[in-house]
Amino acid sequence: RGFSGGERYLVSLVGKAGTGEARGERMAGEKEGDVEMSAVPRPEGQHQLGESLGQSIRGAAAAVLGAEQMRALEDPSLINSTRGSVLGGSFGSKVHIAGASRSLVSSLRNPEDGSIRENITELHPENGQADYGPARVSNWWNTSFIIMAEIMGTGILSLPSTMAGLGYILGSFSIVVFAIGVYYAGFILSKVKNRYYKQVLSYGDMSYIIHGEVFEKFTRGLLYANWYSLMCYYILALASCLMSAFYWRTDICFWMWGLMAVAILVPFAQPRTFHAISFFSLLSTVSIIVAVAIIAAAFITGTTTEEEFVPPTWKVPQQPFLAGYSNIANILFAFQGQSEFYEMMGEMKNPKKFTLSLGVAQIVMVVMYLFTAVLAYHYGGADVNGFVLYSLPTNRLRTVCALLIAIHIVVAYIITGQPLTYKLHQAMSPRTLHASGAKSALVHLGTTLMILIVGYVVANVIPFFSDMQGIIAALAASAIVFFYPSYFYMSSAKRAGDWAGVPIYEKIYIY
């Protein structure tokens, strides 16, 4: 009873050290009773003996692990340090997960041999214990910034032209309705994880639990195609921002700006966890807010570059059906990001607070979306530029705004690419996936370089790439935002025998 969580963990660890089996089965700091004390009898009310024995264990463990690993087990501030290591596992897993490379995209299989974890498809409600997978290091506000950085991207800069295509009433109404619907999609995703399957860390995991490997592969393929198309788009968007920022360098071709964009993205693509990326996300959110403020000031002061002002209207302008449908789809695309919600929840200290994270992020996004779209449409008129940045005059203000948006695009790229990079690293070198050190870092660097170079070539060589990206994103967005969350919730509730008790308004939303 005198032991801390880390000491109890080390009792079992040191007991196995002599046989070469020094692998932990729980993360440090868990509550009393969660770790089996296999080597030393539990002291009954002998506090002094407990303290003495604890000191002995500390000394023995320091010899086995080394001082840095020992500190990482006891000091939460080192939990995301590449120097420390945390040994964890559950469902039959005994994987060494070290340093900053702990973000597991799949909870289904053991990385060592690819076997399905034991009892992975059974109901496991959230109980606050980190059984396996990524370290739970993110606060709710870390996750809020990640959501805003991922979702509130370049889509916000195309919403003024979308508003022009729908008019004030339908445009504003659509933004608010989609915001509510998208929030509720995240809400029921959180319900599935916290009430039924705490072990899921991705859409693919949940697809396997419901329908097995075929459905899992289809889901992962859909997500990977969507993520990669977006990553290629971000490369070109970053190149466009650089060209817009340094507008006087007319001697530099667009393909050269693209290579500069790739070079900029390489170092920022190295963080391997959402928690590490969350600190970039704060900078990203601030950057896009300041950029929108600059754009708003330009429209209000009348310094934008629209050639002819066509007054805005409350009515929906005359247009072909597909053009109007495309405007609605653009609003849905501006809210897309649910495909990585499970990965984000997996790194939260308390996954049950995800709805708070999402709620705060959603409120900020709705305010920003409405403000930008309505203001730019009001001052820019019906002919407002499809990418608002191009409405700014060619001066220093445009340069500052373009660089701020470039910062946001860099962060959006690394958030979108985090799970895809993980899977490619796993495919190429599973032994270095969770390792720390130079070899693992070099493999990860090679993986990110390959993704960037191939993406750059694909995005520039294929002439219809922008259309292809739009089709992939449009096809995936409706399924990711509405179908998968609803189907996951309905299937989980039925498997648990809770479907009859699901409120009628949730059933209406699902159907």
Short mmCIF file of all heavy atoms in Angstrom, two decimals, residues 79-105:
data_model
loop_
_atom_site.label_atom_id
_atom_site.label_comp_id
_atom_site.label_asym_id
_atom_site.label_seq_id
_atom_site.Cartn_x
_atom_site.Cartn_y
_atom_site.Cartn_z
N ILE A 79 6.32 12.25 -20.54
CA ILE A 79 5.59 11.17 -21.19
C ILE A 79 5.66 11.25 -22.71
O ILE A 79 5.53 10.27 -23.40
CB ILE A 79 4.12 11.16 -20.74
CG1 ILE A 79 3.48 9.80 -21.05
CG2 ILE A 79 3.32 12.29 -21.37
CD1 ILE A 79 2.23 9.54 -20.28
N ASN A 80 5.89 12.43 -23.27
CA ASN A 80 6.02 12.55 -24.71
C ASN A 80 7.45 12.80 -25.15
O ASN A 80 7.72 13.22 -26.25
CB ASN A 80 5.13 13.69 -25.22
CG ASN A 80 4.77 13.49 -26.67
OD1 ASN A 80 4.58 12.37 -27.12
ND2 ASN A 80 4.69 14.58 -27.42
N SER A 81 8.39 12.54 -24.26
CA SER A 81 9.79 12.76 -24.59
C SER A 81 10.34 11.57 -25.34
O SER A 81 10.05 10.43 -25.04
CB SER A 81 10.60 12.98 -23.31
OG SER A 81 11.98 12.93 -23.57
N THR A 82 11.18 11.84 -26.34
CA THR A 82 11.79 10.74 -27.07
C THR A 82 12.85 10.04 -26.24
O THR A 82 13.30 8.96 -26.59
CB THR A 82 12.44 11.27 -28.36
OG1 THR A 82 13.36 12.31 -28.02
CG2 THR A 82 11.40 11.82 -29.30
N ARG A 83 13.25 10.64 -25.12
CA ARG A 83 14.26 10.00 -24.29
C ARG A 83 13.65 8.90 -23.43
O ARG A 83 14.27 7.91 -23.13
CB ARG A 83 14.93 11.04 -23.39
CG ARG A 83 15.72 12.09 -24.12
CD ARG A 83 16.25 13.11 -23.14
NE ARG A 83 15.16 13.75 -22.44
CZ ARG A 83 15.26 14.25 -21.21
NH1 ARG A 83 16.38 14.14 -20.55
NH2 ARG A 83 14.23 14.84 -20.64
N GLY A 84 12.42 9.16 -22.96
CA GLY A 84 11.79 8.20 -22.07
C GLY A 84 11.18 7.06 -22.85
O GLY A 84 11.07 7.09 -24.06
N SER A 85 10.73 6.03 -22.16
CA SER A 85 10.01 4.96 -22.82
C SER A 85 8.93 4.45 -21.88
O SER A 85 9.08 4.47 -20.68
CB SER A 85 10.94 3.80 -23.19
OG SER A 85 11.45 3.19 -22.03
N VAL A 86 7.84 4.04 -22.50
CA VAL A 86 6.74 3.47 -21.75
C VAL A 86 6.44 2.11 -22.34
O VAL A 86 6.30 1.98 -23.55
CB VAL A 86 5.49 4.37 -21.82
CG1 VAL A 86 4.33 3.73 -21.10
CG2 VAL A 86 5.79 5.73 -21.22
N LEU A 87 6.35 1.12 -21.49
CA LEU A 87 6.07 -0.22 -21.97
C LEU A 87 4.62 -0.51 -21.68
O LEU A 87 4.17 -0.38 -20.56
CB LEU A 87 6.95 -1.24 -21.24
CG LEU A 87 8.47 -0.99 -21.36
CD1 LEU A 87 9.20 -1.95 -20.44
CD2 LEU A 87 8.92 -1.14 -22.77
N GLY A 88 3.86 -0.89 -22.70
CA GLY A 88 2.43 -1.10 -22.46
C GLY A 88 1.88 -2.20 -23.32
O GLY A 88 2.40 -2.53 -24.36
N GLY A 89 0.75 -2.74 -22.91
CA GLY A 89 0.09 -3.73 -23.74
C GLY A 89 -1.17 -4.23 -23.09
O GLY A 89 -1.39 -4.10 -21.91
N SER A 90 -2.03 -4.82 -23.91
CA SER A 90 -3.26 -5.42 -23.43
C SER A 90 -3.78 -6.31 -24.54
O SER A 90 -3.26 -6.32 -25.64
CB SER A 90 -4.28 -4.34 -23.07
OG SER A 90 -5.43 -4.93 -22.53
N PHE A 91 -4.83 -7.05 -24.25
CA PHE A 91 -5.40 -7.96 -25.22
C PHE A 91 -4.32 -8.86 -25.81
O PHE A 91 -4.26 -9.11 -27.00
CB PHE A 91 -6.11 -7.19 -26.34
CG PHE A 91 -7.26 -6.37 -25.87
CD1 PHE A 91 -7.13 -5.01 -25.69
CD2 PHE A 91 -8.47 -6.98 -25.57
CE1 PHE A 91 -8.19 -4.25 -25.26
CE2 PHE A 91 -9.53 -6.22 -25.14
CZ PHE A 91 -9.40 -4.86 -24.98
N GLY A 92 -3.40 -9.31 -24.97
CA GLY A 92 -2.35 -10.21 -25.42
C GLY A 92 -1.15 -9.53 -26.04
O GLY A 92 -0.27 -10.17 -26.55
N SER A 93 -1.12 -8.20 -26.02
CA SER A 93 -0.02 -7.48 -26.66
C SER A 93 1.07 -7.14 -25.67
O SER A 93 0.80 -6.73 -24.56
CB SER A 93 -0.55 -6.18 -27.30
OG SER A 93 0.50 -5.41 -27.77
N LYS A 94 2.31 -7.31 -26.09
CA LYS A 94 3.47 -6.90 -25.28
C LYS A 94 4.43 -6.18 -26.22
O LYS A 94 5.47 -6.69 -26.59
CB LYS A 94 4.14 -8.11 -24.63
CG LYS A 94 3.27 -8.77 -23.56
CD LYS A 94 4.03 -9.88 -22.87
CE LYS A 94 3.22 -10.53 -21.76
NZ LYS A 94 3.96 -11.58 -21.07
N VAL A 95 4.04 -4.98 -26.61
CA VAL A 95 4.80 -4.22 -27.59
C VAL A 95 5.56 -3.12 -26.89
O VAL A 95 5.02 -2.43 -26.03
CB VAL A 95 3.85 -3.62 -28.65
CG1 VAL A 95 4.65 -2.88 -29.70
CG2 VAL A 95 3.02 -4.71 -29.29
N HIS A 96 6.81 -2.94 -27.26
CA HIS A 96 7.62 -1.85 -26.71
C HIS A 96 7.27 -0.58 -27.46
O HIS A 96 7.54 -0.46 -28.64
CB HIS A 96 9.10 -2.17 -26.87
CG HIS A 96 10.00 -1.18 -26.20
ND1 HIS A 96 10.45 -1.36 -24.91
CD2 HIS A 96 10.51 0.00 -26.63
CE1 HIS A 96 11.23 -0.34 -24.58
NE2 HIS A 96 11.28 0.51 -25.61
N ILE A 97 6.65 0.37 -26.77
CA ILE A 97 6.24 1.62 -27.38
C ILE A 97 7.06 2.72 -26.76
O ILE A 97 6.96 2.98 -25.57
CB ILE A 97 4.74 1.88 -27.15
CG1 ILE A 97 3.92 0.70 -27.70
CG2 ILE A 97 4.31 3.16 -27.83
CD1 ILE A 97 2.46 0.80 -27.40
N ALA A 98 7.89 3.37 -27.55
CA ALA A 98 8.87 4.29 -26.99
C ALA A 98 8.67 5.69 -27.51
O ALA A 98 8.29 5.91 -28.65
CB ALA A 98 10.29 3.83 -27.33
N GLY A 99 8.92 6.64 -26.62
CA GLY A 99 9.05 8.04 -26.99
C GLY A 99 7.85 8.61 -27.72
O GLY A 99 6.72 8.38 -27.37
N ALA A 100 8.14 9.38 -28.77
CA ALA A 100 7.09 10.15 -29.45
C ALA A 100 6.39 9.35 -30.53
O ALA A 100 5.62 9.89 -31.29
CB ALA A 100 7.71 11.40 -30.06
N SER A 101 6.64 8.06 -30.65
CA SER A 101 6.06 7.27 -31.73
C SER A 101 4.99 6.32 -31.23
O SER A 101 4.94 5.17 -31.58
CB SER A 101 7.16 6.48 -32.44
OG SER A 101 7.88 5.70 -31.51
N ARG A 102 4.11 6.83 -30.35
CA ARG A 102 3.15 5.94 -29.72
C ARG A 102 1.77 5.97 -30.37
O ARG A 102 0.86 5.33 -29.88
CB ARG A 102 3.00 6.30 -28.24
CG ARG A 102 4.23 6.05 -27.43
CD ARG A 102 3.90 6.23 -25.96
NE ARG A 102 3.48 7.59 -25.69
CZ ARG A 102 4.28 8.55 -25.26
NH1 ARG A 102 5.56 8.30 -25.11
NH2 ARG A 102 3.82 9.75 -25.01
N SER A 103 1.55 6.75 -31.42
CA SER A 103 0.21 6.89 -31.95
C SER A 103 -0.17 5.69 -32.80
O SER A 103 0.22 5.57 -33.94
CB SER A 103 0.10 8.17 -32.78
OG SER A 103 -1.23 8.38 -33.17
N LEU A 104 -0.93 4.76 -32.24
CA LEU A 104 -1.36 3.57 -32.95
C LEU A 104 -2.64 3.88 -33.72
O LEU A 104 -3.62 4.31 -33.16
CB LEU A 104 -1.65 2.43 -31.97
CG LEU A 104 -0.46 1.94 -31.15
CD1 LEU A 104 -0.91 0.87 -30.18
CD2 LEU A 104 0.63 1.42 -32.04
N VAL A 105 -2.62 3.64 -35.02
CA VAL A 105 -3.81 3.87 -35.81
C VAL A 105 -4.74 2.67 -35.74
O VAL A 105 -5.94 2.80 -35.84
CB VAL A 105 -3.43 4.17 -37.27
CG1 VAL A 105 -4.66 4.26 -38.14
CG2 VAL A 105 -2.66 5.47 -37.34
#
